[in-house]
Amino acid sequence: MKTPARRSKRVNQEESETNVTTRVVLRTRKTNCSKTRAARVRPDYPLTRTTSESEMKLMPPEFFQIDALDLAPRLLGKFMRRDNVVLRITEVEAYRPNDSACHGRFGVTPRTAPVFGPGGHAYVYLCYGLHMMLNIVADKEGVGAAVLIRSCSPVSGMETIQERRGLKTDKPVLLNGPGKVGQALGLSTEWSHHPLYSPGGLELLDGGEDVEKVMVGPRVGIDYALPEHVNA
């Protein structure tokens, strides 16, 4: 969990939403998403399945209460919904106990307390006094692990997304950073502790599309961490 990443090297803003490119060299490719365990993952191909909101189902609490490395790839292709805005998750980063890049390394403080809650709750923190960063708490209560939602693609509520972002575009630059995702959803730190498996407010939904291939790479903007965690 860290500062927002530089974007100019990662995204060709002239290309369409489904042609997002990654700044880092791919370390490996996996053919089974459910078995992929990596700190930073994203789909290896465009997510194109059309899903109506009536097909979107809330994920149960037990979905979240697993190791953050296992939860991260399972979040790809899922939907975040608040009010009329629905976003599809396209890139995530995992943070675990004993990780020098994780906020949990500070122990339980007023700021980090949400990340030590039970899996399935939101952890929203303010970065640089500007950006609201949405994380999904993973694992059992007291563990101190979460998955950062790094980028999304818009599904519905485009006008609201553009208004909140102050940007009239449908290109990847609209949602290609964690601060942009938080802004598009209209989040504040008051959303921390919110259960994402309960109807209403902020929800995590399954749309029925399994991501079979993912791109894996090191996390971005965590140079302060130990080398083994920077390069994980």
Side-chain angles (χ1 to χ4, degrees), residues 64-76:
F64 305 93
Q65 294 176 5
I66 57 177
D67 191 297
L69 282 182
D70 295 315
L71 178 62
R74 287 168 169 79
L75 290 173
L76 296 175

Side-chain angles (χ1 to χ4, degrees), residues 118-204:
H121 289 72
Y123 169 44
V124 182
Y125 67 90
L126 182 63
C127 183
Y128 280 160
L130 296 171
H131 306 287
M132 293 294 169
M133 315 286 267
L134 172 61
N135 300 263
I136 296 177
V137 178
D139 223 314
K140 303 295 188 289
E141 185 171 6
V143 171
V147 178
L148 173 70
I149 307 303
R150 170 156 283 284
S151 69
C152 293
S153 61
V155 176
S156 64
M158 180 62 83
E159 289 186 6
T160 302
I161 294 169
Q162 292 174 336
E163 180 179 356
R164 287 172 174 168
R165 288 280 295 110
L167 189 62
K168 292 288 185 180
T169 183
D170 59 357
K171 295 186 182 298
V173 70
L174 188 65
L175 293 167
N176 68 341
K180 297 176 181 181
V181 171
Q183 190 176 29
L185 290 168
L187 299 181
S188 70
T189 56
E190 293 181 358
W191 285 97
S192 283
H193 295 291
H194 179 81
L196 301 171
Y197 48 79
S198 296
L202 184 64
E203 304 167 326
L204 184 85

